[in-house]
Each structure stands twice: as structure tokens, then as C-alpha cells.
Amino acid sequence: MQGSGTVNSFYIYKINFDLKITLAFCICFFTIASCRLKGHHNNGIDSSFVVKAPPVMPDSGWITLFDGSSLNGWHTYGKKEAGKAWNIDSGSIHLQPGAKNGYQTSGGGDLTSNDEFGNFDLKLEWKIAKKANSGIMIFVQEDTVKYKETWYTGPEMQVCDPDSNEDAHSFKHEAGDIYDLIASKRMSANPALQWNQVEIISYQGRLDLYLNNVHIISTGIWDDAWRKLIADSKFKDMPGFGSFHSGHFALQDHGEEVWYRNIRVHKI
């Protein structure tokens, strides 16, 4: 019987040992997972930002920002009306480039919404000519004494020909990127002269970008990690850039042909 007791003691010891190994593995697994989750946002930059799921907007409550037949609700940045280079083409807003005024089109300038928005869900479509460049800006502050350009204050979702634009294959300058700040998780833009669907959601300090129904960027904004991204970018010497919690939308005139349509927003 002594031999049987020895065997039982062995099995009890083995069970206890296996339980300790399993417990240690679980602790390690959850510790690693926690660390990875903490650094997941902002291109791996650690942040205290608390993840919140983007709200799902109901079918009602959407505000149409472009009626398909006029530029009502829009004006050129720093002016009362839209420049003549912006026109209506088959139910879309069309920038028809001509003589240049600097890098922009004479009679163009960045098309700016009359209204301002804070927490919002913005949807629109764009298409662009070959080798062309444009952008969708948010939180733009319209004070031309302090800020010469829309992009002095407003972060930009890059719009460009994904194949042959001069910026097309530059890091953080590709279609869908938050220009010079955050690169998209994947390239999902259609070729030049094909329509692309955009959704930009700003909600309680979080920014989510979708391009052709692909969730390409999710980041905290206005926190230390966001400020570090700005400090490492071309915008570092622009006071106030990326710090405003509400502002105008703007469609960039980069001197090249671009179209926008189906522009609507839902205030959150």
C-alpha cells in the first residue's frame, strides 16, 4: 500500500504543477496582450486615449452640404463666395484648373463650408484626374489674419491619384492618409477618374477614417501622442494646428482637377 500512496502523491504533485504552469501562462498572455493593446493606436505611439466605438448614425438627421446643383453653403476660404473655378458638373462640385495663382488655380482657392462642426460623421465621394492632388480638411479656422491657408489649422485627409501623383508613394502622403501625420493601414483608393467613398468620424477625441468602406485610420486626437505627431511633421511651426475641437470643412484647390459629390454630415 505504501507504493500506491507514493503514486497518488506523484499525481497530486503533477496536477498542482500543471495548474501553476497554466496560471503562469495566462498571466503572461494577458500581460503581453495588454501591452500590445496599449500601443496599438497612433502608429504604435503609446497613448492614454480610451477607445470608444464610433457611433452608428441613424438614417435620419443627416445634413446635406451639397445639393447637387449649386454651391450654396460654400465659399472660397477668406472670401464671401466660391471662386469661379469651382463649378457644378453632372451633380458634383468640380474644380476646373486654369491659370495658376501660386500652387492653386486662379479664381479657385480652397472651398470652405459656411458652417462649423465638432463631433460629426462626414460622408462624401471624390474622384481625381491623373497625377492630380487635393484634400479634405477638418477643423479649419477661418481667420486669414492669423492663418493664411486652411491647412495652417485643419488636418487633411489626402486626396490624390494613387498611381502617379508626385506624393502617391510618399509615407503619410498617400490617398487616405492624414497628411504628413498618420499613414493608412492599407491602400484602398481607386485609380484616377474613379469615384471613392469617404467617411470621417470625429467623436469625443477620436478620429476614424474610412475609404471605400475600409477602416484605414483610427487615432486619438488632442492628446500627447497627437501633439507628438504634429511636432514631428511639417506643421510643427504652425501655432494651433490640429488643436481645435471644431471648425469648417474645406476641399483643397491644389491647382489640379478634382470632383466631389454626395456631401452630407450628421452632428453627433
Side-chain angles (χ1 to χ4, degrees):
M1 298 298 297
Q2 185 177 357
S4 176
T6 301
V7 171
N8 288 338
S9 297
F10 170 78
Y11 281 112
I12 292 171
Y13 170 81
K14 186 177 187 303
I15 291 170
N16 288 336
F17 179 80
D18 289 345
L19 286 173
K20 289 178 181 179
I21 292 295
T22 301
L23 180 59
F25 173 81
C26 290
I27 292 173
C28 290
F29 174 82
F30 286 111
T31 300
I32 293 171
S34 176
C35 291
R36 287 182 176 176
L37 179 62
K38 187 176 181 182
H40 178 70
H41 297 283
N42 296 329
N43 291 348
I45 296 174
D46 193 3
S47 172
S48 59
F49 170 67
V50 178
V51 176
K52 306 179 186 70
V56 177
M57 292 295 98
D59 291 337
S60 61
W62 288 90
I63 302 167
T64 298
L65 295 183
F66 171 54
D67 61 16
S69 59
S70 74
L71 290 174
N72 292 338
W74 295 86
H75 62 278
T76 292
Y77 181 74
K79 299 182 179 180
K80 294 182 179 180
E81 298 179 350
K84 293 183 178 179
W86 291 99
N87 56 71
I88 307 302
D89 177 11
S90 302
S92 66
I93 296 174
H94 176 213
L95 177 66
Q96 181 64 57
K100 289 294 185 71
N101 178 18
Y103 72 92
Q104 296 185 314
T105 299
S106 180
D110 292 350
L111 196 64
T112 306
S113 66
N114 290 353
D115 296 330
E116 299 184 43
F117 301 90
N119 288 330
F120 61 81
D121 187 344
L122 173 68
K123 292 185 178 182
L124 71 156
E125 295 176 63
W126 62 264
K127 71 175 179 179
I128 198 159
K130 291 184 177 181
K131 300 185 179 181
N133 191 331
S134 183
I136 303 161
M137 277 158 282
I138 60 176
F139 305 132
V140 170
Q141 306 300 300
E142 194 163 21
D143 183 341
T144 55
V145 175
K146 288 184 178 179
Y147 313 115
K148 181 181 177 182
E149 307 273 8
T150 55
W151 45 271
Y152 280 32
T153 56
E156 172 192 347
M157 183 180 188
Q158 171 76 314
V159 170
C160 68
D161 174 1
D163 296 322
S164 58
N165 175 261
E166 61 182 5
D167 264 352
H169 302 296
S170 300
F171 184 56
K172 301 182 183 179
H173 292 186
E174 295 188 273
D177 293 354
I178 302 180
Y179 190 83
D180 214 52
L181 295 177
I182 302 177
S184 306
K185 287 186 270 189
R186 57 174 286 194
M187 168 56 70
S188 58
N190 292 325
L193 299 174
Q194 292 187 24
W195 286 103
N196 295 270
Q197 295 180 336
V198 165
E199 183 172 16
I200 302 174
I201 301 174
S202 170
Y203 180 61
Q204 296 184 2
R206 174 181 178 176
L207 198 59
D208 287 277
L209 275 60
Y210 298 78
L211 183 58
N212 295 321
N213 296 315
V214 178
H215 193 183
I216 56 173
I217 291 176
S218 183
T219 181
I221 48 179
W222 312 315
D223 58 7
D224 289 343
W226 176 254
R227 286 186 284 272
K228 186 178 187 307
L229 289 172
I230 294 172
D232 293 337
S233 75
K234 66 176 289 183
F235 308 109
K236 61 181 180 295
D237 296 323
M238 297 180 183
F241 175 86
S243 66
F244 299 98
H245 292 213
S246 65
H248 303 270
F249 300 136
L251 309 177
Q252 188 180 47
D253 168 9
H254 205 280
E256 294 151 341
E257 196 168 23
V258 64
W259 294 259
Y260 293 95
R261 71 180 184 186
N262 295 332
I263 308 172
R264 58 186 181 140
V265 66
H266 200 302
K267 293 181 179 180
I268 303 174

